[in-house]
Amino acid sequence: MGRIFEVRKSTMFARWDRMAKQFTRIGKEIAISVKAGGPDPATNPSLRRCFANAKGVGMPKDRVEAAIKRAQGKDMTNYEEVIYEGYAPHGIAVLVETATDNPTRTVANVRMHFRKGEGSLGTSGSVAFTFHRMGEFKIKSEGQDLEELELDLIDHGLQEIGEDEEGNIVLRTEYDDFGIMAKALEDKGITPISSELTRIPTTTVELPEDQAKEVLELVDRLEQDEDVQKVYHNLK
């Protein structure tokens, strides 16, 4: 199990530097979690994950509480999770996760972004097979021994362990083992910086710098859309 690098992180995840976008994304995740499992984090693991992620990006407690109240209100916005698939320039696979209250608007916007970025929106299943869905946890490296942690967690679904560019430890599990790993970390008294379900490309494509830039411009365009939660691609 080697070191995990978040390739071209500063470009691919430029939107996470924009605090308002971070808070909006997590607010939608809270709304979806509350609707699915209720407002009590003690009985709603998904909501606990949202809390951890909110803390990780510095989302104020009052904003988190406000998001929960809105999710319980009579006039709450019902978000639908919709996935779109397509191709960026030069055949790069792109998968877009959205949370929307108006799928008609969202698909029109996503199609426009692909078209303006010289890509094309595909049909359901056209690129999903290119990505492997996994659970991902980030924890602080202070006080942790990578080899010892690996031995401790391998029986709890650990598939990959490494470090990101900021020196945080990254743990990955199979999709079905996400809850098992979350419980194992909780039992060890480890609070993740973030925890989420992610999609890892099974194969990657390397492009010349000028072509890669075209792909990343489309990715950035998609990430700026208010309905888009996450964008995945297989550019190396």
Side-chain angles (χ1 to χ4, degrees), residues 105-228:
R105 176 195 67 223
T106 303
V107 69
N109 287 344
V110 170
R111 183 179 290 111
M112 174 192 68
H113 297 318
F114 271 101
R115 185 177 67 250
K116 288 187 174 181
E118 302 299 325
S120 60
L121 183 63
T123 57
S124 178
S126 58
V127 304
F129 66 91
T130 306
F131 300 90
H132 182 49
R133 202 169 193 199
M134 301 186 78
E136 183 175 276
F137 300 79
K138 290 186 182 182
I139 65 175
K140 290 193 176 296
S141 59
E142 288 83 0
Q144 301 292 344
D145 180 279
L146 214 59
E147 292 185 4
E148 182 179 329
L149 191 65
E150 180 178 351
L151 290 174
D152 286 346
L153 296 176
I154 201 163
D155 290 333
H156 300 281
L158 181 67
Q159 293 293 314
E160 297 177 8
I161 185 169
E163 296 177 348
D164 65 14
E165 293 179 346
E166 297 173 351
N168 299 311
I169 296 175
V170 180
L171 310 169
R172 285 179 179 159
T173 72
E174 292 294 339
Y175 172 80
D176 291 338
D177 291 333
F178 183 87
I180 296 173
M181 179 60 71
K183 180 65 165 55
L185 292 174
E186 184 177 333
D187 289 345
K188 288 177 66 65
I190 299 174
T191 301
I193 300 169
S194 66
S195 57
E196 60 184 351
L197 294 172
T198 188
R199 298 175 190 269
I200 308 300
T202 54
T203 59
T204 56
V205 178
E206 188 169 4
L207 294 175
E209 194 65 30
D210 58 335
Q211 294 182 0
K213 182 179 178 182
E214 294 175 8
V215 173
L216 294 173
E217 285 175 351
L218 171 57
V219 171
D220 185 62
R221 184 191 299 275
L222 286 162
E223 288 180 334
Q224 299 310 311
D225 190 283
E226 64 178 7
D227 293 334
V228 172

